[in-house]
Amino acid sequence: MSRRRHSDENDGGQPHKRRRTSEPIEIEDRLESLICRVGEKSTSSLESNLEGLAGVLEADLPNYKNKILRILCTVARLLPEKLTVYSTLVGLLNARNYNFGGEFVESMIRQLKETLKSNLYDEALYLVRFLSDLVNCHVIAAPSMVAMFENFISVVQEQDGPQVRCDWYVYAVLSSLPWVGKELYEKKDVEMERILNQIESYLKRRQKIHVPMLQVWTAEKPHPQEEYLDCLFAQVQKMKKDRWQERHILRPYIAFDSVLCEALQHNLPPFTPPPHSEDAVYPMPKVIFRMFDYTDAPEGPVMPGSHSVERFVIEENLHCIIKSHWRERKTCAAQLLSYPGKNKIPLNYHIVEVIFGELFQLPQPPHIDVMYTTLLIELCKLQPGSLPQVLAQATEMMYMRLDTMNTTCIDRFLNWFSHHLSNFQFRWSWDDWSDCLTQDLDKPKPKFVKEVLEKSMRLSYHQRIVDIVPANFSALIPANPIFIYKYMDESSSSLPGYPVTIAISNAIINRSSNDEILTILKDVPNPNQEDDDDEGDSFNPLKIDVFLQTLLHMAAKSFSHSFSALAKFHEVLKSLTDSDEGKLHILRVVYEAWRNHPQMISVLIDKMIRTQIVDCAAVANWIFSPDMAHDFTRFYVWEILHSTVRKMNKHVQKIQKELETAKEKLEKQHSRKKDSGDEEEDKNSDEEDGLLEEQIERLQEKVESAQSEQKNLFLVIFQRFIMMLTEHLVRCETGGVDFNTPWYKNCIERLQQIFLMHHQTIQQYMVTLENLLFTAELDHHILAVYQQFCALQM
Amino acid sequence: MSILNALRSDSYVDISQYRDQHFKGNRYEQEKLLKLSCSLYVGNLSFYTTEEQVYELFSKSGDVKRIVMGLDKVKKTACGFCFVEYYTRADSEHAMRFVNGTRLDDRIIRTDWDAGFKEGRQYGRGKSGGQVRDEYRQDYDPARGGYGKIIKK
C-alpha cells in the first residue's frame, strides 16, 4: 500500500471515478444504476434510452416489481431536477403494464402521507409535482389531480393551524402549474379558475409582516425582493395570460405521445391533507433573491423576466441540483454547467444568481457557507473564460448596493469575497473602488473594504495586504497585529503595579507554582480600595492587569503559546476572576493588550469560555459595555458574540443528549428485567437502576441549570440591545435628528441577526421575552423586529 | 428509506490509501479510527504558513479544537504540515469536502484523515529532519526550503 498522500498532480479531485469502472454484481444494483443514470450524457438520444430502459424494466417486473417501485419512488422524491425524465419512464411503463402504473401511484400517495407526517415538506413538494407531471404522461386522470388541488386549497379555510401551513399547500399547487397548468386548464378550466381565485384572495389577506426581515436589500430598485408566494403567483398569472405556454421545461413524453395517449389513466384516491399537529414544523417563508435581469447579460441568449414562469423553473432546477450534489463540488459544478436547455439562457448568470441567493438566504443558507465559496471556485475552473467575469460583475453590483444591503448579508459577502480572493492571489481592481476613500469610515462601502482587508489579512499577513492595495487605500489597511504591552520598559516604570510585573515574569520563567504567583500578586495595590483590605480577596483590577498583561506578553508568539499559558495558569486566572467584575475585567485586559489582533482576542475568549475562566454572559456584557462602543460595528465583535451564543447552545444540547441517553439506558434495563424473571439478576439490576436513577437526577439538574444560563444569556443580550436602541431613538427625537444613521442600521440589523441566527433556540423562551422585554411599551421600531420574527412561524 | 448509493455519494470524505507506518495497532484498528476521526492531516503547506492562518481557514468548516504545527525534528521550525482537530466529526467532514484542495498562502493544500495526534507525530520523518517528500523532491520550491535534500547533497 502506498505510503504517500495524494500526489500533487491530482488536484484534490474526486476518487469516485475509480469506483465507476467496477460493475455492480447484483441485478438489483444494476437496476438501481440503470434508473439513476438515465438522462445523463449518452451516445444515444434520451428517447431511445428511455425506450430501452422501459423495455428492460417491463421484463424485470415479474421478479423485481417491489424493488423497481421503491427505486422509482425514491428518484421521484430525491431527484426533482430529473422529474420529467422519470415521469416519462413511468408513463411508458404504465402504457405497457396498467397494474404497475396503479401500484406506482398508490406508493407515491403513501410516500406523500409519510413525508408530510415527518415534516419533510421539500420532498413532499417534489412528490406533488411528480404526480402532476404524471397527468402529462397519461398516468393520472386530470380531474382527479384537480380534485387533489381542491383539497389542498381547502386548507386555507381551516380555523386552526399557522399561516405557514396554508402557505405550503398553496405553494404545492402553484409550483406544479408550470408543469401541468396547460393540461389541467384544458380539461377542467372552471375548477382551475376557482382554485386560482381562492389562491388570489388568500394571498391578498395573508400577513406579510415577516418580509422585511428576510430581504437582502431594503431598496426596491433595481429589483424588488419579492415574497416567494407573491412572485410565484405573478409568474403563474403571466403564464395563464400567455395561454399556459411554457417553453423551457424539457418534456420527453411529447416524443412518446402516440404511445402514451393509448394508455389507460388512473384516478388519484381522494387525498385529505393530514390535520395540523403541534409537532408540525412547516417551511419558513422566503424572499426571492434577484440581482440580474436581461440588461446585465450583454450578449447571447436573453435572461427570462422576473415574472416569467421560465425563470421559476430554471431557478428551481438549479436549486435542486445544488441540493442533490452539494457534498461533491466537482459533480455539482459539472451538473450545473450541463443544465439541459443551457443554450437558450445565460446560464452563468442564473447559476451565479442562484448561488448568491442561497448564500444570502435569511435566516440561514441551506448549506454551510464555505460550500458556496468552493463551488464558485470549481465553476471558475470549469469555465475560466466566462464565469470569473460574471462573478466580478456580480461582486461589483453588490458593492455598489452596500448601502441598502442587510448587515447579515454583508457579513456573508465579505467572508465569501476575502476567502475567494485568497484563492486568486488577492487579485482585484481595487482602484475601481477608490470612490469609497472619500467617504466616512463608518459608511457601508469603506467599512466593507476595511473588513475585507482585515479578513484577507487573517488568511495571509500584514505586509501582503499593504502590497496588494494601492497606496491611497492606506486608511483602510488593518493594523499590524502586534501585542501592546503596557509595562514594556522603564518608561512605564511609574505605572502602579510595574514592579510586580518584573516579579511575575521572573516567577513564570522560574516555573513557580500557582500559589507562589498568587502570593506575589498580593503586593499589587488595589485602586478600588480606600482602606486596606487585609485579606486582599476582593476584586482587584490591577492584579488581573499586571498578571495577564505579563503572561500574554510572554506568550504572544502564537496561538499555541497563549493557549498553553492560559492552561498552565488556569488556577490563578480562576481565582482572579471569581466575581462578575473579575470576569468583565479580564476581557478588558485581553482587549487592551490585543486590540490590534482581533483574531487573537476571539480565540482567547473562546478558550476562556471553554475553560470556564469567563462565562457567556460576561462576554455579552463586555461587548455591550461603554468600553467597546467604538468597536461595536466591527465585524469581529459579532463573530465573537455569535460564537459565544453557539457555544452556549451546543453545551445545552450536549447535556440534554446525555440525559436522553441515560433515560434510554434505564428503560432498556427495565424492559430486560421484565423479561428475565431471574431473582439474582433482578437484585443486581436493581442496584444498577439506582445508580442510573441518581445519574439521571444529576443530569436533570445540570440540564435545568444550563437552560437557565442560556435563557439568561439571551435576556442579557436583548436587554442591552433594547437599552442602546431606545437611548439612540430618544436622543434623536429630542434633538430633531434623523435616527436612521449607519450606526442605527447596523445595530437594529444586529438585533435582527440574533433572532435569525438562533431562532430555534429562542423559540423556547418566547413567553419570557414577550412578558419581560418585548412589551407594547417598547418603541415600535424595536418591537417591529420582534414581531417580524414571530411572523416567521405563524 | 434511502436505498440509492449513487445519490448519497460523498467521496471527498472517504479515507485515502495512506496508512501511518508508525501507528501502534493493526490496519483494521487504524481504519476504524480514521472513519470516526475528527482529526485531519494537512499537507503541502508553505514553511511560512502560520498557525493563525490555518486557524482562520479551517474555522470556516467548524470550531477548531486544536492545531499542532509540524516541525523539523532537528531545527524545530515549521516544515510544511500540521494537524487540525475539530470537536465534531461533521465539522471535519466539511473540511474534507470544502477546504481540501483549495489554497492557503497561495498553495493548494491537501487534507486527509488522521487517526489522532500522539506526541512525537508533530515531527517530520525525513532523514534530514523535515518531511519525507522533501528528501527526494527534484523541483525547486522556495516556500519549502528550495530544492529537495537529495539535490542539495
Side-chain angles (χ1 to χ4, degrees), chain A residues 631-673:
Chain A
D631 269 5
F632 192 69
T633 59
R634 278 181 69 184
F635 181 48
Y636 84 88
V637 166
W638 299 97
E639 266 188 339
I640 292 175
L641 185 61
H642 287 296
S643 167
T644 302
V645 175
R646 266 200 319 266
K647 275 190 275 286
M648 182 79 247
N649 295 345
K650 283 191 184 160
H651 174 68
V652 171
Q653 279 166 13
K654 184 165 168 259
I655 311 182
Q656 279 173 330
K657 188 101 210 290
E658 283 174 24
L659 177 62
E660 260 177 59
T661 316
K663 279 187 175 160
E664 276 166 25
K665 218 170 144 193
L666 188 66
E667 261 204 58
K668 267 201 199 132
Q669 257 170 237
H670 278 164
S671 52
R672 234 185 285 141
K673 225 199 302 191

Side-chain angles (χ1 to χ4, degrees), chain A residues 1-8 10-16 18-19 29 32 36 67 70-71 74-75 77-79 111 114-115 324 326-330 368 370-371 374 377 381 415 419 422-423 425 455 458-461 464 557-560 563 597 599-600 603 606-607 610 646-647 650, chain B residues 1-12 14 16-22 27 31 41 44 50-57 60-69 83 87-88 91 94-106 108 110-114 121 125 132-133:
Chain A
M1 242 186 231
S2 169
R3 289 179 59 189
R4 294 181 67 236
R5 306 265 183 189
H6 296 291
S7 72
D8 275 324
N10 174 14
D11 60 344
Q14 290 164 203
H16 79 245
R18 265 182 248 150
R19 251 204 249 143
D29 281 348
E32 206 178 281
C36 285
K67 179 75 180 180
R70 276 215 329 270
I71 299 172
T74 309
V75 297
R77 192 167 44 89
L78 298 181
L79 287 179
Q111 253 202 144
E114 274 172 48
T115 50
S324 294
W326 65 270
R327 292 176 191 83
E328 297 199 327
R329 65 212 207 210
K330 278 192 159 60
I368 188 172
V370 69
M371 184 279 283
T374 315
I377 293 173
K381 272 196 217 159
N415 258 330
H419 187 189
S422 75
N423 273 271
Q425 299 102 44
K455 269 289 181 173
R458 291 198 198 184
L459 288 168
S460 58
Y461 48 94
R464 188 79 194 280
K557 185 155 185 235
S558 76
F559 287 179
S560 283
F563 295 159
H597 197 345
Q599 191 196 15
M600 174 67 94
V603 303
D606 177 82
K607 264 298 177 268
R610 290 188 192 271
R646 266 200 319 266
K647 275 190 275 286
K650 283 191 184 160
Chain B
M1 267 225 234
S2 140
I3 55 167
L4 297 178
N5 299 319
L7 277 183
R8 285 298 160 242
S9 180
D10 199 1
S11 54
Y12 281 86
D14 291 342
S16 71
Q17 305 285 12
Y18 176 90
R19 296 292 176 268
D20 180 7
Q21 298 296 321
H22 294 203
R27 282 289 144 99
E31 276 166 35
Y41 162 89
N44 201 37
T50 60
E51 187 186 352
E52 286 76 355
Q53 288 168 290
V54 175
Y55 232 101
E56 177 67 16
L57 181 61
K60 291 184 186 297
S61 72
D63 291 333
V64 170
K65 184 172 179 184
R66 165 168 74 154
I67 293 174
V68 180
M69 298 300 284
F83 295 100
Y87 290 98
T88 68
D91 291 346
H94 281 325
M96 289 293 285
R97 293 185 192 109
F98 308 122
V99 180
N100 185 17
T102 66
R103 288 184 193 268
L104 178 57
D105 241 354
D106 297 317
I108 303 263
R110 216 151 312 288
T111 66
D112 196 2
W113 292 110
D114 187 75
R121 297 194 66 230
R125 292 174 182 169
V132 171
R133 62 213 297 266

Side-chain angles (χ1 to χ4, degrees), chain A residues 358-394:
Chain A
E358 288 202 9
L359 179 62
F360 295 141
Q361 186 175 302
L362 296 168
Q364 300 280 28
H367 305 289
I368 188 172
D369 293 32
V370 69
M371 184 279 283
Y372 299 103
T373 311
T374 315
L375 179 60
L376 283 168
I377 293 173
E378 280 309 312
L379 288 163
C380 285
K381 272 196 217 159
L382 289 177
Q383 295 265 290
S386 57
L387 206 117
Q389 289 88 312
V390 178
L391 207 48
Q393 193 180 348

Side-chain angles (χ1 to χ4, degrees), chain A residues 18 62 75 86 141 149 168 215 228 250 268 318 348 435 437 532 536 593 678 699:
Chain A
R18 265 182 248 150
V75 297
Y86 291 119
F149 283 169
W168 186 83
Q215 286 173 319
Y228 79 116
L250 191 75
L268 279 173
L318 294 176
N348 285 342
D435 64 321
L437 299 171
D532 267 356
D678 177 343
L699 282 172

